[in-house]
């Protein structure tokens, strides 16, 4: 993580997103568009167009069907990777990583460089047709340099699902470990600085159902408190839960393709 030039543990910016708190209000998207649309920040960003360019996106992830549906919203933005492919591709400094770990696309050096859009494996570099420049969510670097304690997306989040942190890498690494934070597509080896809480749960499999019994008058009655056991067909692990007041049960965080349910 981050940079250390032999001067001890340096501080760098990181973002923590708790997907369990995101309600898809899109305040992060709107506040960021408000900041950049039509506004020029020399050295930081060319003006964004009013439509068609979102450097922060909220993706909707749905599991289940019918009456048992689980919906999660996942805010995505530039990951400000420590091993950023875009920085490597822009050998002339059109994209660079600052000492505080923020990745910035230079609005002048990058002009006309549409090729840089595809260098992001996460698809989080947008092409500004109006200005002919590639653009990312640059952590609102101009605001940080002006003394702001957090970018606008974090400031505007009503549920505090988005938190900006500026801390030494040693503290960040400990926090990632103790709070079980994860990143999107870790197999890419880009070492993102946007971390997620409850992401694995949202992207894993969901097994849900209802337990009921037939009554004498031909009706169905939901059964509360029934013990439900799930067997992992591969690893042999077991999980147990009980049905709620409506007779419903659910198991989340599953990675195996098949499981066995017992009542």
């Amino acid at each position: 993580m981050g940079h250390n030039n032999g001067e001890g543990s340096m501080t760098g910016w990181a973002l923590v997103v708790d997907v369990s708190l995101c309600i898809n209000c899109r305040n992060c998207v709107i506040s960021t568009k408000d900041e950049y649309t039509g506004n020029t920040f020399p050295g930081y960003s060319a003006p964004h167009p009013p439509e068609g360019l979102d450097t922060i996106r909220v993706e909707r992830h749905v599991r289940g069907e019918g009456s048992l549906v689980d919906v999660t919203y996942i805010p995505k933005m530039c990951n400000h990777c420590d091993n950023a492919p875009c920085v490597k591709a822009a050998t002339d400094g059109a994209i660079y990583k600052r000492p505080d770990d923020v990745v910035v696309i230079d609005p002048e050096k990058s002009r006309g460089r549409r090729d840089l859009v595809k260098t992001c494996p996460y698809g989080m570099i947008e092409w500004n047709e109006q200005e002919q420049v590639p653009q990312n969510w640059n952590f609102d670097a101009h605001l940080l340099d002006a003394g702001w304690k957090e970018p606008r997306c974090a400031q505007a989040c009503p549920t505090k699902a988005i938190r900006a942190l500026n801390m030494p890498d040693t503290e960040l690494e400990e926090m990632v470990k103790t709070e079980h934070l994860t990143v999107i597509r870790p197999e890419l080896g880009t070492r993102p600085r946007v971390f997620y809480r409850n992401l694995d749960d949202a992207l894993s499999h969901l097994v849900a159902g209802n337990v009921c019994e037939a009554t004498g008058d031909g009706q169905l009655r939901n059964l509360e408190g029934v013990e439900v056991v799930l067997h992992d067909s591969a690893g042999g692990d077991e999980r147990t839960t009980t049905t709620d007041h409506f007779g419903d049960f659910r198991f989340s965080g599953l990675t195996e393709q098949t499981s066995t349910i017992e009542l």
Side-chain angles (χ1 to χ4, degrees), residues 52-194:
L53 192 151
D54 290 324
T55 54
I56 296 181
R57 299 194 291 267
V58 181
E59 294 187 2
R60 185 171 181 259
H61 188 78
V62 181
R63 299 182 299 176
E65 59 186 14
S67 60
L68 287 169
V69 177
D70 180 88
V71 181
T72 304
Y73 299 102
I74 305 174
K76 292 185 176 181
M77 61 284 288
C78 171
N79 282 290
H80 297 273
C81 306
D82 283 337
N83 186 29
C86 61
V87 174
K88 292 180 180 178
T91 54
D92 61 346
I95 305 179
Y96 62 96
K97 193 168 180 67
R98 307 190 334 167
D100 61 359
D101 291 308
V102 171
V103 172
V104 174
I105 300 179
D106 188 294
E108 293 302 326
K109 290 183 178 180
S110 66
R111 197 170 299 279
R113 295 289 306 275
R114 191 164 193 156
D115 59 294
L116 294 175
V117 172
K118 293 184 178 179
T119 64
C120 176
Y122 304 96
M124 293 313 302
I125 296 180
E126 295 271 304
W127 179 250
N128 185 332
E129 185 69 28
Q130 176 180 296
E131 298 292 329
Q132 291 291 296
V133 293
Q135 294 184 309
N136 69 328
W137 174 69
N138 65 4
F139 224 108
D140 295 353
H142 63 292
L143 297 179
L144 301 181
D145 290 350
W148 282 48
K149 302 302 182 185
E150 57 186 357
R152 286 195 63 177
C153 63
Q155 184 192 59
C157 183
T159 63
K160 300 303 179 187
I162 299 177
R163 289 192 299 141
L165 305 170
N166 189 14
M167 60 171 59
D169 284 343
T170 51
E171 291 183 23
L172 181 61
E173 289 170 4
E174 183 63 27
M175 180 180 176
V176 169
K177 187 184 301 181
T178 56
E179 297 190 16
H180 306 291
L181 304 180
T182 56
V183 297
I184 293 176
R185 299 189 66 189
E187 72 277 5
L188 293 175
T190 62
R191 304 205 307 275
R193 295 185 71 85
V194 175

Side-chain angles (χ1 to χ4, degrees), residues 65-70 206-213 220-229 240-252 261-263:
E65 59 186 14
S67 60
L68 287 169
V69 177
D70 180 88
L206 169 74
V207 172
N210 175 271
V211 181
C212 59
E213 66 176 358
L220 292 175
R221 181 176 66 189
N222 293 326
L223 295 179
E224 180 181 5
V226 175
E227 184 178 88
V228 185
V229 182
T240 303
T241 188
T242 55
T243 57
D244 62 17
H245 178 71
F246 301 101
D248 295 337
F249 67 87
R250 64 176 58 204
F251 295 96
S252 191
I261 292 287
E262 289 182 6
L263 303 179

Side-chain angles (χ1 to χ4, degrees), residues 7-18:
E7 301 172 359
S9 183
M10 298 184 67
T11 63
W13 286 97
L15 206 69
V16 176
V17 181
D18 190 336

